[in-house]
Amino acid sequence: MLALLAGWSLIGTRIDDYAYDLLLSFNPPPAHSSACAIVAIDETTLNDEGGPRAYRAILAKGLEAIAAGKPAVVAIDMVLADAGDPREDERLGEALRVTHNLVLPAAFVDDGHVRGWENPLPQFARFAAAIGNVRADEESHDGVTRSIALEKTFAHQRHWALALDAFRLAKGVRYIVESPREIQVGAETIPLARVGDHRSLRIRYTAAQIPKLSLESILRDPGLVNQFRNKAVFLGVTATNDRVVTPYGQRISGVEAHAQLFETLESGQFLRDASDLEILGWCVLIAALAVAIFAYTSGWRAYVLGALLLLFAHASPVIAFQHNVVFPYSAPFAVAWLCVSAAASYQHFFVRRQLVKSEGDRQRYQQAIRFVTHEMKTPLTAIQGSSELIGRYNLTEDKRKQMASMINAESKRLARMIQTFLDVEKLSEGEIELKREVFPISGIVDNCLLRIGPGAEAKNIAIHVGEIAAVSLTGDRELMEYAVYNLLTNAVKYSPPGTEVLVAAVTHGDRLHVSVRDQGMGMDEKELHSIFRKFYRTRRAESSGESGTGIGLSIVEQIVAHHHGRVEVTSEVGKGSCFTIVAPFAVTPVGPQSSPPTAKIEK
Ligand code: ADP
């Protein structure tokens, strides 16, 4: 939208016009022999024939001479609106009368005071086959005449353009048939839609000049008029009148501009302006392509495709022009550059962010692997040593039993470690199947307390149990127990001896809040944001000497999420933390019930 607006701005329009002028000069209409000729009342004619004041006499003489050449049409670009010398007017009238297919001009004046048509005097007008509008200089912001209005209406009086009337008469057609979309002149169709009250046709200026003769040379050598046979002759003043600027930067007279318009009509090569809808559609397509390129491809492929799109957007007005459609240059240009660069930078930063994230994940994963392999070494060394001893020496029965049970215990520890790792992977892949059972929260808390008891005692940490609501949860009991147990082990692990841990399960509305509060090392804001990431451990935890993998909480979070709940944490460095599992509970209140402790998943 921004790019489209830029295209409609003054700068955008200027660029469009400049591009149009270039395209026009690179794509001239195919050369054909001119169907018209210009007879110029130039400086020499005026000097030789008595100056500008004698222009009616000059005109009369000229017409008489031209008539001998039997042209198809004679169009005059000199307004005959004011009364002149009666004798001169009479002679002029006579010359007009004998001119076949005469087109006289009507000029539209608008100088602030007077606004209206300047029509030829009735005594002249009655000999005209048509009266056409001669306003040729377009009011463009840079003064260049790129098109001429084919019709102009003022005060209920409408005139076609002088060249259009001349074209009609040259074709021997009586009437111009019009519709909002086109103009029909006999068998010829001009596909030019009316925009508002305007119908301007772009002139395809010919590369070669239209044959131009000075009237003075015709008067001197009347034989020259033979080349006018069956052509349209445009007669006008060129001496002081060079006011029309062409897209090629040349200055030409009004009469030459009319002759050029006539040639455009004759060639049938009409330029059509692309509609706003076409422009909008094209720009949307370019934008969509830019987005698609950077959404579906990346790296050098995306950049190559992006560059091709830019090239295509630049080339589109050129291709359109070759099909006689004038497409603006700045809008697709701006859209392509804006969208390609926006999509490319978005992709660049997005990919970079992803890269940084995955790099972090990889590092943490490596650390955890290092830790786990290190941890695995301890039981493996024990197993190796014991089995070697059993094999090599004759041990007492007692000793052997002791060693065997040690091997058993250590291999179980190893198996548990491996199981935990596998569980993490399965949970994150969504492969663990959740059971659906209803179980009381009190049972879970009891089991966890049983399991944590020895560890807490060894560290001289007192565990207090607050209110435990008599409600049940729905879901996988084993996993939920794992979650609560995990919070408890962390509370004990990351608290100094002599502190307390408080466990409670209370209901708030339709949610159960199971909280574990400790008086341990705590965490700061930044750490709180990361603790649920896989393999993340705070620096404080690392240096505390307590071992860990940094995956427990990520599993807890996933388990709780599977139960449609969430984990909330509050913490203060050095003061302690409070982890709360908030989950929906089943309404049925349950009585005290004890269930056998399970220890399938252990940290
Ligand atoms: P682990 O305990 O194996 O390192 P967890 O995923 O259980 O992994 O915990 C992640 C990190 O969160 C811990 O390493 C620790 O830094 C921090 N943490 C968890 N619980 C507590 C707690 N109660 N007090 C302080 N820090 C904690």
Side-chain angles (χ1 to χ4, degrees), residues 141-355:
H141 53 82
D142 56 359
V144 175
T145 298
R146 296 183 179 83
S147 54
I148 287 188
L150 286 194
E151 59 173 282
K152 170 92 191 157
T153 306
F154 182 76
H156 304 297
Q157 192 177 13
R158 195 221 345 229
H159 287 296
W160 297 103
L162 183 85
L164 182 60
D165 268 331
F167 178 66
R168 170 177 69 82
L169 291 169
K171 294 279 166 213
V173 177
R174 277 179 77 89
Y175 299 108
I176 290 169
V177 181
E178 58 176 317
S179 76
R181 300 188 63 86
E182 58 193 27
I183 287 178
Q184 193 93 29
V185 181
E188 315 285 333
T189 304
I190 307 161
L192 186 65
R194 188 190 270 133
V195 183
D197 61 347
H198 263 75
R199 213 192 286 255
S200 288
L201 184 69
R202 288 188 182 264
I203 308 175
R204 292 204 92 160
Y205 289 92
T206 54
Q209 287 220 336
I210 294 171
K212 185 159 84 175
L213 287 177
S214 159
L215 180 59
E216 193 270 336
S217 67
I218 292 175
L219 294 178
R220 247 192 305 117
D221 179 3
L224 287 175
V225 296
N226 287 334
Q227 59 184 289
F228 297 154
R229 184 168 292 268
N230 294 332
K231 285 195 173 180
V233 172
F234 286 85
L235 179 60
V237 178
T238 63
T240 51
N241 246 6
D242 287 358
R243 55 184 156 77
V244 177
V245 182
T246 72
Y248 306 151
Q250 295 163 332
R251 282 186 166 273
I252 58 171
S253 58
V255 68
E256 279 176 290
H258 295 302
Q260 285 284 1
L261 178 59
F262 182 88
E263 284 294 331
T264 305
L265 292 168
E266 188 66 39
S267 73
Q269 297 273 324
F270 301 112
L271 288 171
R272 174 180 77 80
D273 281 39
S275 69
D276 284 350
L277 205 67
E278 284 171 319
I279 299 167
L280 183 73
W282 188 239
C283 290
V284 168
L285 181 76
I286 289 176
L289 281 175
V291 171
I293 285 171
F294 287 94
Y296 295 111
T297 59
S298 59
W300 66 269
R301 258 191 215 98
Y303 289 112
V304 168
L305 286 175
L308 283 178
L309 182 65
L310 285 179
L311 213 70
F312 185 56
H314 282 262
S316 54
V318 181
I319 298 167
F321 197 93
Q322 278 157 0
H323 292 86
N324 294 331
V325 177
V326 178
F327 211 87
Y329 197 79
S330 51
F333 168 88
V335 168
W337 277 98
L338 224 81
C339 290
V340 166
S341 44
S345 2
Y346 175 79
Q347 194 200 48
H348 178 76
F349 289 114
F350 180 75
V351 168
R352 254 227 337 229
R353 224 178 33 228
Q354 295 276 77
L355 192 75

Side-chain angles (χ1 to χ4, degrees), residues 11 54 98 112 142 162 226 283 344 354 358 454 489 543 554 596 603:
I11 298 176
V98 297
D142 56 359
L162 183 85
N226 287 334
C283 290
Q354 295 276 77
S358 68
T489 41
S543 53
S554 80
K603 204 169 176 200

Side-chain angles (χ1 to χ4, degrees), residues 4 21 96 103 318 327 368 425 518 531:
L4 270 178
D21 295 349
L96 293 173
V103 188
V318 181
F327 211 87
E425 292 308 313
D518 63 46
I531 50 171

